[in-house]
Amino acid sequence: DIGNTSEKYNTHCFIERKSLSDLLGTMSKGYDRFENELKRTRDLELYLILICERPFKEFMSFPYLNYIHSEATPEFISHRIKDLLQKYDCWQIIFANGRIDMAELIKKVFCCEIKPEKLDWQFLRDGKVI
């Protein structure tokens, strides 16, 4: 029964997967577009979980990674993420340990019996709860 599907699964939540370089681009040149996406998400009463496929440690050291070319600094990108998190309560960001970990996180989000916005997924992941 399709009517019961939304009760069983978190269908009001959607996930946006990003590589590290995609995340940097989104938070620099694509910032306005992403903010508009968050406005639509809020207005439609949906919830977005953005999952970066690389660990937070790599995010904070991206200027030293050979495969990342960005003129932004980790501080600049972090500030933009923090501003959006404070401005819009309809999303959160998780840093994964590669694509396999990201796939597992996606399954856990969609099959969780608790609404995703009620949980701090990065905290649960870092604490090895999930």
Side-chain angles (χ1 to χ4, degrees):
D1 182 342
I2 293 175
N4 292 332
T5 302
S6 64
E7 297 297 321
K8 185 174 180 183
Y9 301 104
N10 292 309
T11 55
H12 72 285
C13 176
F14 63 101
I15 292 179
E16 188 166 333
R17 300 175 308 142
K18 298 270 185 203
S19 68
L20 182 53
S21 59
D22 289 341
L23 176 61
L24 299 176
T26 296
M27 291 301 153
S28 55
K29 295 176 183 165
Y31 184 83
D32 292 334
R33 181 206 56 81
F34 186 68
E35 184 170 15
N36 286 332
E37 183 178 328
L38 290 176
K39 287 176 187 175
R40 284 191 307 274
T41 300
R42 179 196 59 207
D43 293 347
L44 294 170
E45 297 180 2
L46 298 172
Y47 195 77
L48 167 68
I49 296 180
L50 188 151
I51 302 178
C52 179
E53 69 180 30
R54 303 308 308 156
F56 184 72
K57 183 177 178 180
E58 282 188 35
F59 165 72
M60 290 306 293
S61 62
F62 73 78
Y64 308 105
L65 302 175
N66 292 336
Y67 66 94
I68 300 290
H69 302 287
S70 176
E71 295 182 20
T73 65
E75 294 78 18
F76 174 78
I77 300 296
S78 295
H79 180 73
R80 284 198 147 180
I81 290 171
K82 183 183 80 163
D83 283 349
L84 289 173
L85 286 168
Q86 290 176 344
K87 192 171 183 181
Y88 301 97
D89 64 354
C90 60
W91 82 291
Q92 63 179 284
I93 185 168
I94 308 170
F95 292 89
N97 289 320
R99 288 182 181 221
I100 293 172
D101 184 42
M102 183 169 47
E104 288 299 316
L105 284 167
I106 290 169
K107 285 182 205 173
K108 289 175 183 176
V109 167
F110 284 134
C111 293
C112 181
E113 293 181 11
I114 300 170
K115 288 185 175 185
E117 62 269 25
K118 302 283 186 193
L119 301 172
D120 182 333
W121 289 89
Q122 188 69 53
F123 177 77
L124 294 173
R125 194 190 157 289
D126 291 346
K128 301 187 186 334
V129 175
I130 59 168

